[in-house]
Amino acid sequence: MWKLFKRVVFILIVVNISSIMWGRFFNPPITFIQLEGLIKYRKLHRDYISFDEMGSLVKRAVIASEDQNYFRHNGFDFKAIRRAMINNQKNDKKRLQGGSTISQQTAKNIFLWNGRSWVRKGVETIFTFMIENFWNKEIILERYLNSIEMGQGVFGVEAASKYYFGKSAKNLNKSEAAWIAAVLPNPKKYDPKNPSPYLKKKHEWIMKQMRDVRLN
């Protein structure tokens, strides 16, 4: 029994390391979260593109919205985590604030599944540490922007740009890029085509924040 356990652990380690190395050079064929969206919505809009093909505006908009310290942390933003904990203690469950970085979200989107269990969060931490050391910031951001859920069955900024605005991500103007980013982190609830007052306010905030975002 002990030998079997060690063999299973060894296989899991090899598979995980192999997937990390594969991910350095290639986007995933499909992820658990994309498969979940395909089953639930019976569609999968996804269009992988390279980092350069994305243009700069959508990158700046997403960083402004999700992780303004992206290029300054090592995968974990402890100040953001602390702010989220304080905020969540004050507010009800409908207004929970997350402290996950783009690196953590990439680890979840590429390798894991949706959910809030401590087990999943622990595995996410391991994968975040690994991609921060085996990949680089540009690769992580590219994988994130290609895999992030952007609507019901819509994944990645290129598919989202075509779905919402009928154009490629590199051709978005500043306002359109901010609308793409505004739906995060709850893209199944918010719609840039029919924005709520909250989404309009968030869009304006992202537009202002984009001025200070640097892509390095």
Side-chain angles (χ1 to χ4, degrees), residues 203-214:
H203 174 263
E204 294 176 2
W205 180 83
I206 292 172
M207 291 273 286
K208 294 177 181 177
Q209 296 298 310
M210 286 174 68
R211 294 177 298 191
D212 299 322
V213 171
R214 298 290 180 268

Side-chain angles (χ1 to χ4, degrees), residues 6 24 50 55 61-62 83 87 112 123 125 150 160 174 192 214:
K6 289 195 294 184
R24 179 178 175 85
S50 70
V62 170
R83 285 197 304 269
N87 175 81
L112 304 175
V123 178
T125 299
M150 302 297 298
K174 185 177 180 180
R214 298 290 180 268

Side-chain angles (χ1 to χ4, degrees), residues 10 28 43 55 57 64-65 68 70 89 98 104 119 122 162 166 177 182:
F10 175 76
K43 62 180 181 179
L57 289 176
S65 175
Q68 294 188 19
Y70 175 65
Q89 288 175 349
Q104 290 173 277
V119 172
K162 292 178 178 178

Side-chain angles (χ1 to χ4, degrees), residues 76-213:
F76 307 94
D77 189 339
F78 295 103
K79 290 183 178 180
I81 293 172
R82 193 177 300 112
R83 285 197 304 269
M85 291 177 64
I86 294 172
N87 175 81
N88 295 342
Q89 288 175 349
K90 295 179 179 178
N91 295 309
D92 57 34
K93 292 183 178 181
K94 294 182 179 181
R95 295 187 179 184
L96 290 179
Q97 178 180 322
S100 296
T101 63
I102 283 176
S103 300
Q104 290 173 277
Q105 293 180 56
T106 303
K108 182 198 78 172
N109 292 335
I110 300 296
F111 302 106
L112 304 175
W113 59 91
N114 284 317
R116 290 183 175 273
S117 72
W118 285 107
V119 172
R120 201 227 67 190
K121 200 65 179 178
V123 178
E124 176 190 296
T125 299
I126 296 172
F127 273 105
T128 301
F129 175 80
M130 293 176 72
I131 64 175
E132 277 282 339
N133 284 275
F134 283 96
W135 300 358
N136 58 44
K137 289 292 187 179
E138 182 176 304
I139 294 172
I140 293 172
L141 186 58
E142 179 184 321
R143 297 291 177 269
Y144 175 76
L145 293 173
N146 271 328
S147 65
I148 187 67
E149 191 170 13
M150 302 297 298
Q152 297 183 357
V154 181
F155 293 86
V157 294
E158 180 71 0
S161 299
K162 292 178 178 178
Y163 182 77
Y164 292 118
F165 299 110
K167 61 176 71 174
S168 294
K170 65 180 178 181
N171 296 323
L172 294 173
N173 60 39
K174 185 177 180 180
S175 178
E176 291 166 341
W179 279 121
I180 293 289
V183 302
L184 301 170
N186 199 344
K188 287 179 277 191
K189 178 180 179 181
Y190 299 117
D191 184 356
K193 294 180 179 179
N194 186 28
S196 64
Y198 166 79
L199 202 65
K200 291 178 181 178
K201 185 176 180 180
K202 185 177 180 181
H203 174 263
E204 294 176 2
W205 180 83
I206 292 172
M207 291 273 286
K208 294 177 181 177
Q209 296 298 310
M210 286 174 68
R211 294 177 298 191
D212 299 322
V213 171

